[in-house]
Amino acid sequence: MKQKKIAVLVGSLRKESFNRKMAKALTALAPESLKLEIIEIGGLPLYNEDLENNPPAPWTEFRERLRKFEGVLFVTPEYNRSVPGVLKNAIDVGSRPYGKSVWDGKPGAVMSVSPGAIGGFGANHHLRQSLVFLNVPTMQQPEAYIRNAANLFDESGNFANDSIREFAAKYMHAFAAWVDTNMSSRRQ
Ligand SMILES: Cc1cc2nc3c(=O)[nH]c(=O)nc-3n(C[C@H](O)[C@H](O)[C@H](O)COP(=O)(O)O)c2cc1C
């Protein structure tokens, strides 16, 4: 079976990030049909259209790298009820130059993880708004607003209880099926 390559973008740069722990845990339990890889976004210069004539090397590398993936999984915290700037910047960098977006047609999914009570719902849905425009067919069910983040992982970064482990496995199986059925969604 040929594995499908999935880029994982984490919306936090924090060393002990719960979202990064979640991304790693999802990578470990993804079904065999998917090969997940975390793509670092912290070194991307802030998007500035003036630079498109001679784009910074990290932009070009990021764009070329992302093109080789067949799907994208976003795992993000919520900052002030929205998408953290570092993740929005990566999305903007990948979306240009106009007509050459790396996101176009890639099946996607969004998981938000927060210590807060509403599990990053605001960030999750603000991100989905951009993904509609970027033509990323985004998995709708199961939704994943993961709260209580401080209690999800043990000291080694493994899931701390069966309930989150089972949900994560179910989520990744649904995403594998979603990728299978939405791989030809590029704009005509
Ligand atoms: C600038 C900033 C804004 C935040 N705003 C929210 C918020 O709107 N909702 C929320 O649930 N948590 C908010 N938080 C708390 C984060 O959810 C918390 O720091 C979380 O651990 C960040 O994710 P990480 O562990 O992956 O770094 C905010 C944190 C920061 C630094």
Side-chain angles (χ1 to χ4, degrees), residues 10-21 75-82 113-121 149:
V10 178
S12 170
L13 304 180
R14 201 168 71 85
K15 205 159 23 129
E16 291 298 320
S17 160
F18 298 124
N19 283 274
R20 182 170 289 266
K21 287 180 186 171
V75 185
T76 187
E78 174 176 84
Y79 278 5
N80 300 310
R81 296 285 181 260
S82 190
V113 180
S114 172
I118 57 174
F121 174 88

Side-chain angles (χ1 to χ4, degrees), residues 86-103:
V86 68
L87 179 55
K88 183 60 166 58
N89 184 54
I91 289 169
D92 294 341
V93 168
S95 72
R96 295 282 155 149
Y98 188 77
K100 296 202 170 144
S101 167
V102 302
W103 312 115

